[in-house]
Amino acid sequence: MNVDQMELVLDHYKNPRNSGTLSNADFSHEEGIPSCGDKIRIDIKVSDDKIVEAKFCGKGCAISQAAASILTEMIQGMDLNSIKDMDGQQFLETLGVNISPIRYKCALLALKVLKTGVFGDNSFEYEH
Amino acid sequence: MEKVINKLPSFNAYEIRSDFPIFSRKVNGKPLIYLDNAATSQKPRRVIDGLKSYYENNNSNIHRGVHTLSYESTVMYEDAHKKVAGFIGASDWKEIVFTRNATESLNLIAYSWGLHNLDKGDEVLISIMEHHSNIVPWQMLCQARGIVLKFIDVDEKGNLDLESFERLLTDKTRVVSIIHVSNVLGVVNPINYISKKTREQGAILIIDAAQSVPHINLNVKELDCDFLVASGHKMLGPTGIGFLYGKKALLESMEPFLFGGDMISTVTKEKSTWNELPWKYEAGTPNIAGGIGLGLAIDYLENIGLEQIEEHESELLDYTLNNLKQLPWLEIYTPLEGQRVGVVSFNVKGVHPHDVAGVMDEDGIAVRSGHHCTQPLMNRLNIEYALRASFYLYNTKEEIDQFLISLKRAYKIFKR
Ligand SMILES: Cc1ncc(COP(=O)(O)O)c(C=O)c1O
């Protein structure tokens, strides 16, 4: 972890965007990491195959929670299909943090929750 | 002129550090500050070199050979059992069984003794502060034998609740299996009292000494226990070697846990008889080098003296707690008084321990964050995870100062 590079993450950690749930969500999914207790739920509302609203809630470390906030911001207005193409490596780069591989799971939890929620189990695997 | 008496300090953590090659490395450009000793300890040169020397000069399989190397290996491996026996005050080295670790030792007891001696309705009494390794094997017996598992509580301060112990200890209790030193709270449980009460009930007493054997001088006869387990890797020895102490009469009466070579006396097509102790419980080629390495670790510890290590850790612990308790943004789980080893568990309120540990890692400091394989205890404390700093003979006050600086830095970064 290099704190100097964490501006974006810290900002989203301290001021989470899109926090909450949607009562009329088209997709809603929650997952956690048993070893560290992190949990994230993402709700999205879709219209014409586009994401019109995304919300998240959860608990855990700064990295996992900030990543969820950043992700929900990124996907507003996006085509559902383009979510399929989002890959972990790219998302890590977006976060702009230099974290040890041990914590990739925290950083990628939100993306896993999103993809699994929309496309079902096994649509996202943590890479090593 | 005044006469200056130059009294050499008998215990010097700075000198001790130079025996541990790992302290010459850096982590993230900073000198390594290793405060994760409850997970595993570092290894002195004597152990590392001893392993190398064994493989270079003596390596052979034990017992079966007539040749010189086999004889040497056998003697070295047996001697390691003798060193463990001496270290924990067992009168006979045949009461020492080498296993992979404390976990395997506890499983051995559950399978070899538990499966054959426990029946439906029998109660096994453990505590809420047990490591998973002293919970899950008993849960297996709940399924297999219908035994009832009961948990001694902790009190508000984080000490074992002796009232709860006495309430739960009944004539149905067949086993009390208890952690000697908590790997989270650092408290030393009053085994003498527990063993006296357990004896009065006629139950057997098992002690999980994984966190006590490395840090405090103990004696199985004074503790008056039936079994005691520990892991070599937490006491300066290699990974993959641990031990079980068991009273001879018990070990002799029990069935083996693993079956195969070395553990037999005779084998016919129909049946087999068992080898003498401790080999009856050490099926297959054991971790010979690991056992020898553990023996060398014990030599090293004995040379320094457990009392000195205990005192050093106690100073570090007081120093750390006195500093930590000044910080209102912390929640501390380790009791502030009583007999404890060098383990401090705490949380920065509202901040996930992984985030704090991540900042510390950046500063070259190794602390552990997580549930520490004690989920029932975490639950009891109403938390999911905690940070833990744990000390050993080579840690210094300067390292703790760095740890405190890093902790404050983490707080500043993550506080909301
Ligand atoms: C109190 C206690 N018991 C048992 C164990 C299990 O040790 P091992 O993983 O070496 O089997 C540990 C290790 O953390 C421990 O702290």
Side-chain angles (χ1 to χ4, degrees):
Chain A
M1 190 147 85
N2 185 333
V3 174
D4 297 336
Q5 300 171 6
M6 284 188 58
E7 237 169 275
L8 179 72
V9 162
L10 282 175
D11 176 33
H12 278 261
Y13 167 66
K14 291 182 182 179
N15 314 291
R17 329 287 203 267
N18 308 310
S19 95
T21 56
L22 294 173
S23 54
N24 55 349
D26 295 302
F27 298 97
S28 173
H29 185 62
E30 179 181 286
E31 257 182 66
I33 307 173
S35 61
C36 58
D38 285 5
K39 260 196 195 114
I40 285 170
R41 167 177 158 182
I42 293 181
D43 291 0
I44 57 177
K45 179 103 195 89
V46 176
S47 165
D48 291 338
D49 279 345
K50 272 195 196 322
I51 295 175
V52 290
E53 204 176 359
K55 294 238 180 229
F56 86 96
C57 62
K59 62 186 175 92
C61 67
I63 310 264
S64 72
Q65 302 306 302
S69 169
I70 292 167
L71 182 68
T72 49
E73 202 167 57
M74 269 172 73
I75 59 174
Q76 308 272 355
M78 237 163 112
D79 265 8
L80 271 191
N81 268 331
S82 43
I83 286 172
K84 221 179 216 153
D85 303 329
M86 291 176 78
D87 88 335
Q89 194 53 43
Q90 229 177 321
F91 187 62
L92 285 176
E93 282 164 26
T94 309
L95 298 182
V97 286
N98 183 1
I99 47 172
S100 77
I102 289 186
R103 301 193 67 198
Y104 286 172
K105 273 194 174 179
C106 310
L108 295 175
L109 177 60
L111 187 58
K112 180 167 198 284
V113 170
L114 174 68
K115 285 193 155 189
T116 309
V118 178
F119 302 108
D121 286 348
N122 304 322
S123 55
F124 182 86
E125 291 293 330
Y126 293 115
E127 302 136 45
H128 288 284
Chain B
M1 228 174 80
E2 226 177 318
K3 202 173 156 192
V4 180
I5 302 172
N6 249 340
K7 192 165 161 259
L8 270 181
S10 43
F11 182 92
N12 185 332
Y14 298 92
E15 262 167 37
I16 286 171
R17 293 174 77 75
S18 63
D19 294 337
F20 291 75
I22 204 161
F23 292 124
S24 61
R25 79 157 278 181
K26 297 201 160 166
V27 170
N28 294 320
K30 310 275 169 53
L32 166 66
I33 295 180
Y34 188 77
L35 304 178
D36 193 18
N37 292 287
T40 200
S41 68
Q42 295 303 341
K43 321 301 173 199
R45 192 172 286 108
R46 183 161 177 176
V47 169
I48 300 168
D49 290 352
L51 291 174
K52 183 160 177 276
S53 166
Y54 167 72
Y55 280 122
E56 286 180 353
N57 298 300
N58 317 96
N59 177 55
S60 167
N61 211 328
I62 53 171
H63 298 322
R64 283 161 299 214
V66 206
H67 61 78
T68 302
L69 293 187
S70 180
Y71 174 73
E72 287 173 4
S73 293
T74 304
V75 170
M76 290 168 87
Y77 186 66
E78 276 185 15
D79 276 352
H81 287 69
K82 291 174 189 166
K83 287 179 188 176
V84 172
F87 194 59
I88 62 167
S91 43
D92 189 341
W93 68 272
K94 290 176 187 288
E95 295 180 315
I96 306 299
V97 176
F98 278 0
T99 59
R100 280 189 305 135
N101 47 37
T103 303
E104 186 177 309
S105 301
L106 287 163
N107 274 274
L108 193 161
I109 302 168
Y111 277 91
S112 289
W113 189 85
L115 270 184
H116 299 278
N117 288 282
L118 294 175
D119 261 321
K120 196 164 170 24
D122 284 346
E123 294 183 1
V124 171
L125 189 51
I126 62 175
S127 84
I128 199 74
M129 59 168 96
E130 300 310 316
H131 186 276
H132 293 163
S133 59
N134 195 22
I135 302 175
V136 187
W138 301 113
Q139 289 174 338
M140 175 280 291
L141 284 172
C142 294
Q143 303 261 312
R145 284 286 174 273
I147 63 151
V148 179
L149 190 56
K150 298 213 158 158
F151 292 80
I152 306 166
D153 201 3
V154 290
D155 65 20
E156 289 312 308
K157 289 193 173 136
N159 292 304
L160 197 71
D161 180 347
L162 291 176
E163 269 174 37
S164 149
F165 166 63
E166 282 177 35
R167 206 171 340 106
L168 294 170
L169 183 73
T170 69
D171 50 14
K172 288 196 182 138
T173 310
R174 299 283 316 280
V175 181
V176 175
S177 187
I178 189 98
I179 194 165
H180 191 184
V181 168
S182 163
N183 60 318
V184 172
L185 303 164
V187 294
V188 181
N189 288 323
I191 298 296
N192 283 326
Y193 181 78
I194 290 168
S195 82
K196 186 168 151 276
K197 291 280 167 191
T198 303
R199 290 277 164 253
E200 283 167 18
Q201 270 311 336
I204 69 157
L205 177 64
I206 303 166
I207 298 178
D208 173 1
Q211 297 292 349
S212 57
V213 167
H215 303 277
I216 59 183
N217 204 357
L218 61 76
N219 180 304
V220 288
K221 286 201 213 89
E222 280 166 21
L223 294 174
D224 194 19
C225 57
D226 295 289
F227 297 104
L228 180 139
V229 307
S231 290
H233 67 92
K234 293 185 200 282
M235 50 191 287
L236 311 183
T239 49
I241 189 81
F243 65 87
L244 163 72
Y245 156 83
K247 279 198 175 143
K248 204 169 183 183
L250 269 169
L251 288 177
E252 272 168 351
S253 71
M254 281 154 49
E255 284 298 303
F257 171 37
L258 297 170
F259 300 84
D262 291 331
M263 53 74 64
I264 47 82
S265 165
T266 57
V267 178
T268 65
K269 270 157 72 182
E270 292 75 29
K271 70 185 276 287
S272 305
T273 55
W274 312 138
N275 201 343
E276 60 186 45
L277 295 178
W279 317 123
K280 171 181 166 187
Y281 296 101
E282 294 192 22
T285 301
N287 184 353
I288 303 165
I292 293 166
L294 173 58
L296 294 171
I298 287 175
D299 290 344
Y300 185 91
L301 286 170
E302 283 184 333
N303 196 31
I304 288 171
L306 265 281
E307 287 83 2
Q308 304 231 59
I309 295 174
E310 214 178 318
E311 198 182 309
H312 175 66
E313 276 187 42
S314 165
E315 273 172 34
L316 293 179
L317 179 72
D318 286 342
Y319 184 69
T320 308
L321 282 172
N322 282 336
N323 278 284
L324 291 183
K325 71 183 185 200
Q326 316 292 332
L327 307 173
W329 36 271
L330 289 183
E331 197 168 87
I332 301 171
Y333 309 112
T334 296
L336 296 178
E337 52 199 30
Q339 202 197 346
R340 293 143 306 157
V341 301
V343 173
V344 184
S345 289
F346 59 98
N347 268 317
V348 177
K349 289 175 193 161
V351 180
H352 195 290
H354 280 6
D355 291 325
V356 181
V359 170
M360 292 200 163
D361 180 54
E362 199 179 272
D363 294 336
I365 302 171
V367 293
R368 190 146 290 250
S369 56
H371 55 56
H372 313 289
C373 293
T374 56
Q375 282 181 4
L377 176 63
M378 296 285 116
N379 223 339
R380 176 66 180 81
L381 298 172
N382 270 319
I383 52 175
E384 274 182 88
Y385 20 62
L387 278 160
R388 179 183 71 192
S390 51
F391 315 129
Y392 212 0
L393 67 169
Y394 36 64
N395 291 121
T396 65
K397 276 191 182 160
E398 284 74 11
E399 287 183 312
I400 297 191
D401 289 336
Q402 289 305 314
F403 156 81
L404 293 165
I405 291 171
S406 186
L407 178 62
K408 288 171 190 165
R409 189 167 88 85
Y411 169 66
K412 283 211 186 89
I413 293 168
F414 290 107
K415 72 161 184 225
R416 291 200 260 205

